[in-house]
């Protein structure tokens, strides 16, 4: 376990500016053409303050004032133009900021989990990904012990073995905090932790934060909207009030009311001090003197001397960071891990595969999915029941296999297309804390999806094929193995295409639209519905995995000539056998050699996967967020 480190964060700068571009349309006089003009809006300006171990710093302000942007800057997730951020007197350059990020727990407003996991599963998997694996001996016991300690600390014992989706809002928030506490961070940043909670849950959560600060020496920085009066005065040690990106107050909550009174904005007796602050900063008609036309917000913004606060903090830092304390400060910085990842690629892969299997089996092995698979296989089996081995049923057998291909390729694509969009928020959150390589996650997802998907497919084939039974005896067994093998390749190819579409489109509405159009096209080009496609479109069949799968299976099954039965379905009068090669070439247009069909199936199951990984790997940070 890492030693419990402490840190004092200092935010000092004349213009700690975070800027965004806003595209406007402007027209010049006498011209109807609209020209795009780029302007920059300063989100944070002249923000100075400090946060100390054992204290809770609350950041307040109206919506859009820059609270969340400030948290993103302090946690290293957003850049800024000017100013400095220091930890224990050490200015954080790019390298030290990366080190500092490894010791910061950033709890976002939205609680993002795989909610089918239990609370204990969530914490255990997180610990396995974040605890150093340099020493394997006793690692599992240490992880279990730490998970139990965190569960007890956050009062989650009663719900430890419940699925997260069954937890209340307050419990989910504590699970969120517990997840971040596993690495024993020295700083905990929380964005609106009480948002959406009732008063009792909010009070309970704030008591947990107070315990972490007072009894565990953590430095806690939180944004909060409108706390109760008791919370405002008794829970927070320091208050940073922001309005339009600028600081209007920094100090203790109780002194903030004296500060307002000094400018003529005394809080009415019995009124919530936090609500009084928000009224002044939000209501434009709150004037210093009635009739002077100046809003309270502007008065408070202009009256706050941020440079004086910055100078005071700098002076305090210089006094605290004396030569005798240099060793301690250097120890803090050197103790921060240098390597981006604390675990090996293999450990990440094993852990993520285990988690994906546990998450997937709850859906793929659910009674609904099993019932659907059995029902589909029985229906298809009855439709093509007990096919004969003669000419009248040859095309029916091709129909059976093509229907099976449609069912399972589409099933695999439908499952795969939602994998990355559904996992995106969790993966972005975990990768922001350097929990694992993207390649480890991608490989784990691919491997974990195979057993359960193929298990359902095997169940389908085991029921439907033997109801159809084109051949008899040992030939039937061989045909079953051939058909099953080709179906496996086809399913993997469909899964790969689903991964690619899901990787490209984060919005499942667009992804599903593309999926619908693409699958319709591939089905029509597969050769079953119209084996003799127009010459100008005939080349397009080679883009369809259905084409290669059905042709390969037929080439493996139809090896011997087909007996004639007098029905005239294939044979001319007087013929005893219809050549298998002729059936393949003339009836179903399976003209490509077997090796080419199998090779193309391997291409379809590998190349889209590679492209899907590349898309995920090189998406811009804004797209990943």
């Amino acid at each position: 376990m890492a030693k419990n480190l402490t840190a004092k964060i200092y935010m000092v700068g004349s213009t700690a500016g975070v800027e965004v571009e806003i595209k406007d349309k402007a027209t010049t006089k006498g011209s109807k053409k609209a020209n795009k003009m780029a302007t920059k809006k300063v989100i944070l300006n002249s923000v100075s303050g400090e946060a100390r171990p054992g204290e809770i710093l609350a950041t307040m302000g109206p919506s859009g004032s820059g609270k969340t942007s400030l948290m993103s800057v302090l946690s290293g997730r957003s850049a800024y133009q000017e100013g400095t951020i220091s930890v224990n007197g050490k200015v954080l350059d790019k390298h030290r900021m990366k080190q500092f990020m490894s010791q910061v727990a950033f709890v976002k407003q939205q609680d993002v989990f795989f909610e089918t996991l239990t609370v204990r599963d969530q914490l255990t998997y997180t610990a396995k990904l974040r605890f150093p694996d340099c020493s394997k001996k006793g690692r599992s016991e240490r992880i279990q012990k730490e998970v139990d300690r965190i569960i007890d600390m956050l009062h989650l014992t009663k719900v430890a073995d419940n699925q997260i989706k069954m937890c209340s809002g307050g419990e989910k928030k504590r699970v969120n905090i517990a997840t971040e506490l596993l690495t024993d961070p020295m700083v905990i940043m929380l964005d609106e932790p009480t948002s959406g909670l009732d008063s009792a849950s909010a009070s309970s959560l704030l008591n947990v934060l107070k315990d972490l600060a007072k009894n565990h020496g953590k430095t806690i920085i939180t944004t909060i909207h409108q706390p109760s009066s008791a919370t405002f005065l008794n829970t927070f040690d320091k208050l940073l009030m922001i309005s339009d990106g600028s600081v209007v107050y920094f100090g203790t909550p109780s002194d903030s009311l004296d500060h307002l009174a000094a400018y003529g904005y005394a809080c009415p007796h019995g009124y919530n001090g936090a609500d009084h602050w928000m009224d002044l900063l939000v209501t434009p008609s709150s004037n210093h003197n009635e009739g002077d036309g100046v809003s309270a917000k502007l008065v408070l913004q202009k009256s706050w001397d941020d440079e004086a606060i910055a100078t005071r903090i700098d002076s305090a830092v210089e006094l605290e960071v004396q030569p005798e304390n240099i060793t301690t400060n250097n120890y803090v910085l050197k103790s921060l891990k240098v390597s981006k990842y604390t675990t090996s690629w293999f450990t990440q892969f094993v852990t993520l595969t285990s988690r994906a299997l546990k998450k997937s089996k709850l859906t793929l092995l659910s009674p609904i999915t099993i019932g659907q698979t059995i029902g589909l296989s029985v229906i298809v089996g009855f439709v093509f029941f007990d096919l004969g081995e003669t000419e009248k049923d040859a095309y029916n057998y091709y129909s059976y296999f093509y229907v099976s291909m449609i069912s399972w390729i589409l099933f695999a694509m439908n499952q795969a297309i939602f994998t990355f969009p559904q996992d995106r928020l969790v993966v972005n959150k975990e990768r922001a804390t350097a929990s694992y390589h993207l390649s480890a996650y991608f490989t784990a997802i691919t491997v974990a999806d195979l057993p359960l998907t193929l298990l359902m497919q095997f169940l389908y084939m085991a029921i439907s094929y033997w109801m159809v039974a084109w051949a008899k005896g040992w030939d039937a067994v061989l045909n079953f193995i051939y058909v099953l093998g080709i179906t496996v390749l086809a399913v993997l190819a469909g899964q790969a295409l689903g991964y690619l579409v899901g990787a490209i489109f984060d919005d499942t509405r667009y992804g599903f639209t593309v999926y619908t159009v693409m699958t319709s096209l591939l089905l029509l080009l597969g050769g079953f519905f119209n084996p003799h496609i127009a010459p100008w479109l005939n080349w397009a069949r080679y883009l369809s995995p259905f084409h290669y799968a059905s042709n390969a299976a037929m080439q493996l099954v139809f090896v011997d000539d087909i007996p004639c039965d007098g029905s005239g379905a294939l044979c001319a009068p007087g013929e005893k056998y219809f050549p298998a090669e002729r059936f393949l070439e003339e009836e179903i247009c399976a003209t490509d050699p077997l090796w080419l069909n199998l090779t193309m199936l391997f291409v379809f199951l590998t190349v889209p996967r590679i492209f899907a990984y590349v898309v995920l790997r090189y998406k811009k940070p804004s797209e990943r967020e």
Side-chain angles (χ1 to χ4, degrees):
M1 293 301 299
K3 184 175 180 180
N4 186 20
L5 304 178
T6 61
K8 299 175 183 175
I9 302 179
Y10 309 97
M11 306 163 281
V12 179
S14 56
T15 53
V18 181
E19 299 180 345
V20 294
E21 285 193 355
I22 301 176
K23 299 291 186 180
D24 294 326
K25 287 185 178 180
T27 56
T28 57
K29 195 173 182 179
S31 173
K32 294 183 179 180
K33 291 185 177 181
N35 302 313
K36 290 184 178 180
M37 299 178 61
T39 61
K40 289 187 176 181
K41 176 184 177 182
V42 178
I43 298 176
L44 295 173
N45 183 43
S46 300
V47 178
S48 296
E50 64 176 349
R52 294 174 173 265
E55 293 183 350
I56 301 178
L57 168 64
T59 303
M60 287 184 60
S63 298
S65 60
K67 302 187 299 296
T68 300
S69 297
L70 176 60
M71 298 286 280
S72 296
V73 168
L74 291 178
S75 63
R77 286 165 171 78
S78 294
Y80 56 95
Q81 278 64 53
E82 298 178 32
T84 60
I85 300 175
S86 302
V87 175
N88 292 343
K90 297 289 185 179
V91 177
L92 298 183
D93 55 19
K94 186 176 181 180
H95 176 66
R96 279 180 171 157
M97 176 57 82
K98 287 184 177 179
Q99 293 178 322
F100 175 63
M101 288 174 66
S102 67
Q103 290 294 330
V104 173
F106 188 31
V107 181
K108 292 187 176 183
Q109 181 176 349
Q110 184 180 7
D111 299 318
V112 180
F113 306 106
F114 292 125
E115 295 202 340
T116 55
L117 298 177
T118 66
V119 172
R120 192 180 300 278
D121 287 338
Q122 164 67 19
L123 299 181
T124 301
Y125 284 125
T126 301
K128 288 181 178 179
L129 291 169
R130 297 187 184 181
F131 279 28
D133 60 355
C134 52
S135 176
K136 301 288 186 179
K137 186 177 180 180
R139 184 171 183 264
S140 298
E141 290 75 13
R142 292 198 304 273
I143 287 175
Q144 191 59 54
K145 183 178 180 181
E146 183 64 13
V147 167
D148 290 338
R149 185 183 72 85
I150 295 297
I151 287 176
D152 183 65
M153 180 191 300
L154 274 297
H155 311 301
L156 293 168
T157 306
K158 291 183 178 179
V159 297
D161 297 311
N162 292 353
Q163 289 184 336
I164 296 176
K165 66 181 180 182
M166 304 300 294
C167 295
S168 66
E171 289 166 344
K172 288 181 180 179
K173 186 64 66 178
R174 278 183 276 148
V175 173
N176 200 349
I177 297 173
T179 301
E180 300 300 331
L181 286 179
L182 284 168
T183 54
D184 197 20
M186 58 186 182
V187 180
I188 303 174
M189 298 184 184
L190 305 100
D191 187 18
E192 299 281 4
T194 59
S195 177
L197 302 183
D198 56 60
S199 58
S201 298
S203 177
S204 175
L205 177 62
L206 291 173
N207 287 334
V208 170
L209 297 180
K210 192 171 184 179
D211 175 69
L212 290 172
K214 303 302 180 184
N215 300 324
H216 298 273
K218 303 299 182 183
T219 302
I220 296 181
I221 306 174
T222 181
T223 62
I224 196 161
H225 190 56
Q226 285 181 282
S228 65
S229 181
T231 297
F232 180 73
L233 294 174
N234 301 326
T235 301
F236 306 129
D237 300 285
K238 294 289 177 58
L239 174 67
L240 181 70
M241 191 66 66
I242 300 179
S243 175
D244 295 335
S246 299
V247 176
V248 294
Y249 176 78
F250 173 70
T252 65
S254 57
D255 288 345
S256 72
L257 301 181
D258 296 334
H259 175 74
L260 291 178
Y263 288 92
Y265 304 114
C267 180
H269 181 70
Y271 195 67
N272 186 341
D275 289 342
H276 183 57
W277 262 108
M278 297 300 289
D279 290 342
L280 294 174
L281 297 180
V282 173
T283 308
S285 61
S286 299
N287 298 329
H288 176 56
N289 293 311
E290 290 187 9
D292 64 4
V294 181
S295 69
K297 178 173 70 173
L298 292 178
V299 171
L300 293 171
Q301 288 177 359
K302 292 179 179 180
S303 64
W304 184 254
D305 190 350
D306 195 80
E307 290 295 333
I309 297 297
T311 302
R312 190 188 74 188
I313 293 174
D314 284 336
S315 300
V317 171
E318 291 177 1
L319 290 175
E320 292 179 0
V321 185
Q322 297 297 331
E324 61 270 17
N325 296 324
I326 290 178
T327 301
T328 302
N329 292 322
N330 285 340
Y331 170 73
V332 170
L333 290 174
K334 288 180 180 179
S335 295
L336 302 177
K337 69 177 189 286
V338 177
S339 176
K340 184 177 181 180
Y341 301 102
T342 58
T343 55
S344 66
W345 188 96
F346 183 74
T347 298
Q348 296 166 14
F349 166 71
V350 172
T351 303
L352 292 171
T353 301
S354 174
R355 184 176 73 174
L357 282 170
K358 178 168 286 191
K359 179 168 64 78
S360 298
K361 75 178 183 180
L362 295 174
T363 53
L364 291 180
L365 290 183
S366 66
I368 294 178
T369 305
I370 295 175
Q372 171 187 313
T373 302
I374 295 175
L376 178 63
S377 61
V378 171
I379 291 173
V380 172
F382 275 124
V383 170
F384 297 97
F385 185 73
D386 196 22
L387 292 180
E389 300 181 53
T390 60
E391 60 173 310
K392 66 180 179 63
D393 286 327
Y395 204 84
N396 290 335
Y397 187 75
Y398 176 45
S399 301
Y400 159 74
F401 184 76
Y402 202 85
V403 168
S404 299
M405 285 296 92
I406 292 175
S407 301
W408 286 102
I409 291 181
L410 295 185
F411 175 80
M413 288 183 68
N414 191 52
Q415 292 290 328
I417 199 173
F418 295 106
T419 297
F420 299 132
Q422 289 175 344
D423 288 3
R424 180 174 57 89
L425 293 177
V426 177
V427 172
N428 287 343
K429 172 187 173 182
E430 292 176 336
R431 293 198 67 227
T433 59
S435 295
Y436 46 79
H437 294 81
L438 177 63
S439 58
Y441 161 75
F442 189 88
T443 308
I445 287 296
T446 302
V447 171
D449 280 351
L450 293 181
L452 299 178
T453 301
L454 298 182
L455 178 62
M456 291 296 101
Q457 175 201 351
F458 178 82
L459 178 62
Y460 167 86
M461 294 299 298
I463 296 174
S464 66
Y465 178 82
W466 295 108
M467 293 178 70
V468 175
W470 160 268
K472 307 298 180 184
W474 179 245
D475 288 339
V477 176
L478 289 178
N479 287 348
F480 174 76
I481 295 174
Y482 293 152
V483 170
L484 183 61
I486 297 299
T487 308
V488 167
L489 294 179
V491 166
L492 295 180
Q495 188 182 64
L497 290 174
Y499 282 150
L500 179 58
V501 174
I504 295 174
F505 299 99
D506 289 335
D507 191 327
T508 54
R509 294 173 300 173
Y510 295 113
F512 197 76
T513 299
V514 171
Y515 156 80
T516 303
V517 174
M518 181 177 68
T519 52
S520 299
L521 178 63
L522 295 179
L523 282 172
L524 293 174
L525 295 175
F528 173 76
F529 297 102
N530 183 9
H532 305 285
I533 301 176
W536 65 270
L537 189 60
N538 189 53
W539 61 271
R541 71 171 62 202
Y542 298 105
L543 301 178
S544 173
F546 298 98
H547 170 75
Y548 300 107
S550 57
N551 286 358
M554 294 301 98
Q555 287 169 331
L556 287 170
V557 171
F558 287 92
V559 176
D560 299 325
D561 292 342
I562 304 170
C564 299
D565 56 13
S567 64
L570 296 174
C571 303
E575 287 185 320
K576 293 184 178 181
Y577 292 95
F578 191 84
E581 184 177 350
R582 185 180 169 191
F583 172 74
L584 294 173
E585 292 180 358
E586 296 181 3
E587 299 299 324
I588 63 176
C589 295
T591 56
D592 299 322
L594 176 62
W595 67 266
L596 178 60
N597 289 319
L598 294 177
T599 300
M600 291 307 298
L601 284 177
F602 278 105
V603 170
F604 269 94
L605 69 88
T606 55
V607 173
R609 278 183 167 83
I610 295 173
F611 279 116
Y613 175 77
V614 171
V615 169
L616 293 175
R617 179 70 180 81
Y618 290 100
K619 272 191 173 182
K620 295 179 181 179
S622 59
E623 291 177 298
R624 290 201 302 262
E625 291 297 326

